[in-house]
Amino acid sequence: METLTLPTLKNHPAIETEPPVKKLPTMKELNPLLLPFQKPEWKPAIWQLINTLVPFFALLGLMGASLQMSYWLTLLLALPTAGFLVRIFILFHDCGHNSFTPSRKANKIIGFILGVITLTPSEQWWKSHAIHHATSGNLDKRGVGDVTTLTVEEYRAKPWIERMGYALFRFPFIMFGLGPIWMFIIAHRFALPRFSKKETLSVVWTNIALIFYLGGLSLLFGGVWNMVKVLLPVFWLAGMFGIWLFYVQHQFEGVYWAPDTEWDYVASALKGASYYRLPKVLQFFSGNIGFHHIHHLSPRIPNYQLEACYKSNPIFQIEVTEIGFLEALKTVRLKLIDTARNNQMVTFQDILG
């Protein structure tokens, strides 16, 4: 007699079962994959300082000389000069993570100097950025080192004038056009009260160093006004691109947001930071920061190792949101976090019905 076997629910053709929820790897599983790339080295660090600072100051000199010919030529030269300034900021950024050189002391000294060149107080910015890394994608810990982003509920609860202010802040011309002037020229000149004496002193020492740095450039260019005509377009363009990079790496469709009780570090890195696929020339100027999910998984990885880490294992390519260069323009429509829609980013039009 044959034994009859009843079909299980899993195999029964008339019953559909939900696919198992795919879990992200844990840091314990990822650490062995990241470890080989977490080794800062002197040779690539020194080479990056040379191939960044030398052309930057050479281009600044050409911009100063071009003032005697045509200011249109000066503005044309501002484009590549701004690209190198963005790259300087990435090296400064790596120093704050102690991932640029093998020496912690050298990172502090180099970082301070690069901070002066980028008008950024090192210790204060590094502290704010460290908080960003520890809270990225956390709904309950927004507001430090990130792009101000409200939930739909928070936006609706504000008075009309505050809603208007938020809408203006999120308007591209304001955020990317006026934002660089506000951040680098004005905001960075003042200490933030929530930080320690060390961070406050970094603002003071940076401002003092800037007197000598900008004073020297004024003498070189033949006056303060000439210095302003050279530096202002460079900082405006570099700041615009820098803010754009930071924005598109954390503000995109499907980006990860979760309340503190559910927040997960790996998810905040792989799902809360994008891979911004840039043309090679822009990848150079942005210091590989487009591999932003790798950077958030391990800030100890130097910028010159990010691409190699990305290519080393399919897990770093499959689990991330990849955004193309022009495709990224669509992200400027996203303004709010809708907790009723699984914490998705939405537009103003979405909430208006």
Side-chain angles (χ1 to χ4, degrees):
M1 176 179 272
E2 294 183 359
T3 303
L4 295 176
T5 304
L6 293 175
T8 64
L9 292 178
K10 181 179 179 181
N11 298 322
H12 198 285
I15 300 177
E16 294 183 2
T17 58
E18 293 184 3
V21 177
K22 187 178 180 182
K23 290 186 177 180
L24 292 174
T26 64
M27 280 308 298
K28 185 177 181 180
E29 295 168 325
L30 290 171
N31 277 331
L33 306 178
L34 298 167
L35 185 61
F37 304 95
Q38 296 174 335
K39 297 176 181 177
E41 299 176 11
W42 278 110
K43 186 176 179 180
I46 292 173
W47 173 236
Q48 284 197 329
L49 288 172
I50 293 171
N51 69 24
T52 303
L53 293 175
V54 171
F56 173 73
F57 283 108
L59 284 165
L60 273 187
L62 286 175
M63 288 182 69
S66 70
L67 290 173
Q68 307 302 318
M69 297 175 249
S70 168
Y71 193 56
W72 290 110
L73 177 58
T74 307
L75 293 178
L76 183 64
L77 289 169
L79 284 168
T81 311
F84 281 106
L85 186 60
V86 172
R87 187 168 165 84
I88 290 172
F89 193 89
I90 298 300
L91 308 190
F92 159 80
H93 158 270
D94 274 17
C95 287
H97 289 297
N98 285 305
S99 62
F100 187 55
T101 78
S103 167
R104 188 179 185 89
K105 184 176 181 179
N107 286 328
K108 295 292 184 184
I109 296 172
I110 294 170
F112 174 79
I113 295 170
L114 299 182
V116 172
I117 296 172
T118 59
L119 311 186
T120 307
S122 55
E123 294 292 347
Q124 178 162 284
W125 192 89
W126 291 340
K127 178 64 176 291
S128 177
H129 190 63
I131 294 173
H132 160 69
H133 271 266
T135 61
S136 179
N138 192 318
L139 279 171
D140 300 317
K141 296 182 178 179
R142 288 166 289 150
V144 179
D146 56 11
V147 177
T148 301
T149 310
L150 299 178
T151 66
V152 172
E153 293 82 1
E154 290 168 343
Y155 176 75
R156 284 175 170 162
K158 289 185 177 297
W160 71 268
I161 193 164
E162 291 187 33
R163 292 199 301 270
M164 182 180 291
Y166 179 76
L168 285 173
F169 163 72
R170 301 286 300 203
F171 185 62
F173 176 77
I174 302 295
M175 181 177 291
F176 307 113
L178 300 182
I181 304 300
W182 163 255
M183 179 179 294
F184 291 98
I185 296 179
I186 301 173
H188 283 172
R189 307 284 66 80
F190 301 96
L192 297 174
R194 65 175 174 268
F195 291 151
S196 69
K197 182 179 178 181
K198 180 174 71 172
E199 285 88 49
T200 299
L201 284 174
S202 78
V203 177
V204 174
W205 285 115
T206 299
N207 289 341
I208 292 172
L210 280 172
I211 294 173
F212 293 95
Y213 174 58
L214 299 178
L217 289 179
S218 297
L219 292 173
L220 178 66
F221 297 144
V224 173
W225 178 235
N226 284 345
M227 181 268 294
V228 171
K229 289 199 294 184
V230 168
L231 287 189
L232 189 59
V234 172
F235 274 95
W236 183 67
L237 290 169
M240 185 188 304
F241 185 46
I243 293 174
W244 169 251
L245 282 172
F246 189 79
Y247 174 90
V248 77
Q249 288 161 349
H250 292 288
Q251 304 263 318
F252 53 88
E253 192 171 351
V255 68
Y256 174 84
W257 287 102
D260 189 49
T261 54
E262 300 173 13
W263 185 83
D264 178 74
Y265 180 82
V266 173
S268 74
L270 291 178
K271 300 299 184 182
S274 67
Y275 163 40
Y276 188 23
R277 190 181 68 255
L278 292 168
K280 283 296 182 182
V281 63
L282 295 182
Q283 185 179 326
F284 170 81
F285 283 128
S286 62
N288 295 316
I289 203 63
F291 300 97
H292 208 60
H293 62 301
I294 303 293
H295 173 61
H296 267 263
L297 276 176
S298 177
R300 286 288 296 162
I301 297 177
N303 76 85
Y304 45 81
Q305 292 283 12
L306 289 174
E307 184 174 12
C309 182
Y310 170 78
K311 292 179 177 179
S312 68
N313 196 290
I315 193 69
F316 301 133
Q317 303 159 29
I318 295 170
E319 299 293 350
V320 67
T321 297
E322 182 176 330
I323 303 176
F325 178 55
L326 295 178
E327 179 189 358
L329 295 175
K330 296 186 296 184
T331 63
V332 297
R333 301 179 304 109
L334 304 173
K335 310 293 185 182
L336 299 161
I337 306 164
D338 194 344
T339 55
R341 302 186 194 184
N342 197 28
N343 301 324
Q344 294 298 300
M345 294 286 295
V346 297
T347 68
F348 285 133
Q349 288 74 18
D350 291 329
I351 67 170
L352 292 174

